[in-house]
Amino acid sequence: MSGAGHGGLSRSATRVVAKEANGFHLLRIDGYSQTKTVLPGQKLSSHPFSVGGHTWRVDYYPNGRDVSADHNAISVYLQLASSHPQPVQARYKFSLLDDSGNPAYELPAEKGSFVGAPVVNRYPNGITRAVGTLNNGGEEEQGPGCGHEEFIKKDDLERREHLVRDDSIVVRCDVGVTQFVNSVLAQDDLVNNAWGDEEEGYDQYDAQGMYAPPPRMYGGRGRHQRRHRADDNEYINWCLSQRNH
């Protein structure tokens, strides 16, 4: 198939840029000894934070997330806190910092699939419709997240004086995700008013795929305004010539 001119094929181009995004969040627990009174399965959560265009949250379980498991272990989990229609793949790593801010205890980095809260459409008449899952109370239910049920034994933690200072501990969570940026590369027509001598070529386009005026667009003899529409080959070559910035 081929076509050129205003009666030819409809043309368009999209650019999708995939890039790595990394970040970390610190969760400081002051009054560590008092958190032992928290019941198994109950959590202390960080404020939401953003990495790679997604919102995340760290959940800290002082006596474990699994109520049937050994309550002598601390659990930590990373949770996708924003709504997303599909699971998000991410890398994560948890560590404990010493008083110098360096990781003094850590578990290996892992990859996981994260499910966010369902998208809930709320209508003026009070009706709600969820694209996802709601719990028995009608509240938004998130996926299980990813993390470690036995991040560290409490007696092991308390033996490490460099990790518990002044009854405080600091949990660091590193997050890495592939971020996708979608944008229009070119519209149907690569056409614009171009300036130049008749013998000059018009091989410069602007960011919308339009012919860009040459630097000497003002003044001088032989200057005139004319229109030029790129044929299909020029259109394709222009799209191929664009580079990431």
Side-chain angles (χ1 to χ4, degrees), residues 79-215:
Q79 184 75 253
L80 179 62
S82 53
S83 300
H84 202 275
Q86 296 177 338
V88 175
Q89 300 294 318
R91 303 169 298 280
Y92 65 93
K93 184 175 73 172
F94 283 97
S95 58
L96 288 169
L97 304 185
D98 61 19
D99 55 349
S100 298
N102 300 313
Y105 174 87
E106 62 184 13
L107 295 185
E110 296 189 12
K111 294 181 180 179
S113 180
F114 296 82
V115 178
V119 178
V120 178
N121 297 323
R122 304 182 186 277
Y123 300 96
N125 58 6
I127 296 176
T128 62
R129 178 172 297 173
V131 184
T133 304
L134 299 182
N135 60 25
N136 293 334
E139 298 175 346
E140 300 176 11
E141 184 177 275
Q142 293 177 299
C146 295
H148 306 283
E149 181 62 36
E150 291 193 7
F151 176 51
I152 188 171
K153 296 283 189 179
K154 284 180 285 186
D155 52 3
D156 186 17
L157 170 63
E158 292 163 10
R159 283 196 299 266
R160 304 176 184 230
E161 295 182 356
H162 59 294
L163 294 181
V164 184
R165 298 296 299 270
D166 299 324
D167 205 25
S168 295
I169 64 172
V170 178
V171 179
R172 170 171 171 161
C173 179
D174 288 83
V175 182
V177 65
T178 301
Q179 185 175 13
F180 298 94
V181 180
N182 185 306
S183 62
V184 174
L185 181 60
Q187 301 290 352
D188 184 14
D189 287 345
L190 295 181
V191 60
N192 196 7
N193 294 331
W195 293 78
D197 295 321
E198 292 184 1
E199 66 272 12
E200 288 182 340
Y202 293 87
D203 57 357
Q204 301 296 320
Y205 302 88
D206 65 15
Q208 278 71 45
M210 302 298 184
Y211 277 116

Side-chain angles (χ1 to χ4, degrees), residues 12-13 15 185-186 190 234-243:
S12 59
R15 178 195 313 227
L185 181 60
L190 295 181
E234 289 176 315
Y235 185 94
I236 293 172
N237 288 333
W238 182 87
C239 292
L240 295 177
S241 69
Q242 302 309 294
R243 297 291 183 265

